[in-house]
Amino acid sequence: HFLSLSFSLSPCSVWRTAISYFCTLSAEKHREEWTHVLLLLFHNLRRLGPERFTLHLLHPGAMVLYSLVTVDLKPELRCVLRDLLEKIHTRACRMLRHASRSTTPSDVDLHS
């Protein structure tokens, strides 16, 4: 149960655990109550600076975010999720462009 978790969890694991728990909810009333929790978490994630945002959301554990697209969401949560996924995409594209500019042909090992 989500509420019985230790408070020693990192912020990353808290929001990942909250999303995973939300996806398991079958009672509409509980899902509606947890929608507010996710809205708060997503709002705080969107406010992170670029470095912290990257640390949290480009981590492999962030894939739990994509599991929300299979769940019936309230329109306001769907909108915030869309904005968050767009920010992830934008940040990932910037990182790839930066990586491709900083890699020169002499940096590439053709034998690996």
Side-chain angles (χ1 to χ4, degrees):
H1 191 272
F2 180 77
L3 297 177
S4 64
L5 294 174
S6 166
F7 287 102
S8 65
L9 294 172
S10 71
C12 291
S13 63
V14 169
W15 67 261
R16 289 182 195 126
T17 303
I19 292 169
S20 295
Y21 180 72
F22 179 83
C23 290
T24 66
L25 294 174
S26 57
E28 185 61 34
K29 178 137 177 74
H30 287 113
R31 187 174 293 237
E32 188 171 319
E33 292 167 357
W34 271 86
T35 294
H36 299 290
V37 173
L38 292 185
L39 285 169
L40 178 63
L41 289 172
F42 290 168
H43 174 72
N44 288 332
L45 285 170
R46 286 175 34 202
R47 292 179 54 209
L48 291 175
E51 294 80 22
R52 290 193 68 204
F53 182 82
T54 301
L55 176 70
H56 288 294
L57 293 172
L58 295 181
H59 184 277
M63 292 303 290
V64 71
L65 210 77
Y66 294 98
S67 63
L68 285 173
V69 298
T70 64
V71 178
D72 188 28
L73 300 174
K74 299 254 182 214
E76 61 272 21
L77 186 56
R78 193 176 321 121
C79 180
V80 173
L81 177 62
R82 184 193 68 228
D83 292 346
L84 196 56
L85 293 174
E86 287 175 359
K87 186 173 179 178
I88 292 169
H89 173 76
T90 301
R91 184 71 181 146
C93 287
R94 283 187 192 140
M95 290 176 62
L96 288 172
R97 278 196 301 271
H98 177 72
S100 68
R101 280 184 277 183
S102 64
T103 304
T104 63
S106 64
D107 293 336
V108 178
D109 183 6
L110 297 177
H111 301 292
S112 58

